[in-house]
Amino acid sequence: SGPMLCATTYQGYLIALLLFASRKVTKEYLCLCKGWLSNKVRFFEAPLRYGEYQTLSSQGEGAHGLRQAKTEVLTVGHFTDPAGAPVSLVQVRLHTGRRHQIRAHLRYEGHPLID
């Protein structure tokens, strides 16, 4: 799930539509994931299969329904959960907007989201 934007006027709707279409809207999220990610900024660019959590890195866009996806991840902090397992708080910026993109890229890198 993600944020929902509602326009109160038709003009506001058109402006929002243009901003999203021209990619001028920045989509950032804070997430908790398993394990400790490094403190450097990382970019994940594995293509995603439409509607699935799995990422595939061996083929590009257009091959069997794969679409390019780019995710920027910055580690904000490291913690341990009550059981002592390592957890990272990460700031995520989406450069593309694919379904389950954050979940898929972090899982692919070995750091699935905490449910």
Side-chain angles (χ1 to χ4, degrees):
S1 65
M4 183 189 314
L5 180 65
C6 298
T8 56
T9 65
Y10 189 69
Q11 179 183 7
Y13 165 75
L14 288 177
I15 291 170
L17 190 67
L18 290 172
L19 288 172
F20 274 94
S22 63
R23 297 195 183 274
K24 294 190 187 235
V25 175
T26 303
K27 295 168 257 182
E28 293 185 358
Y29 303 85
L30 284 175
C31 305
L32 287 173
C33 61
K34 295 179 181 179
W36 286 349
L37 274 83
S38 67
N39 288 326
K40 64 180 182 171
V41 176
R42 298 179 66 184
F43 290 91
F44 303 142
E45 297 190 57
L48 300 178
R49 193 184 306 256
Y50 179 77
E52 295 184 15
Y53 293 94
Q54 181 181 359
T55 62
L56 299 174
S57 60
S58 61
Q59 298 173 317
E61 188 168 338
H64 306 292
L66 300 179
R67 299 175 70 193
Q68 278 302 114
K70 183 175 180 181
T71 306
E72 180 179 350
V73 178
L74 171 65
T75 300
V76 177
H78 294 116
F79 309 96
T80 54
D81 68 10
V87 174
S88 293
L89 176 65
V90 294
Q91 178 181 348
V92 177
R93 177 179 288 175
L94 299 180
H95 293 270
T96 54
R98 308 290 182 235
R99 181 178 291 171
H100 302 301
Q101 178 175 331
I102 296 170
R103 183 178 305 279
H105 276 169
L106 287 174
R107 176 185 279 179
Y108 184 74
E109 292 293 320
H111 300 283
L113 292 176
I114 294 178
D115 296 328

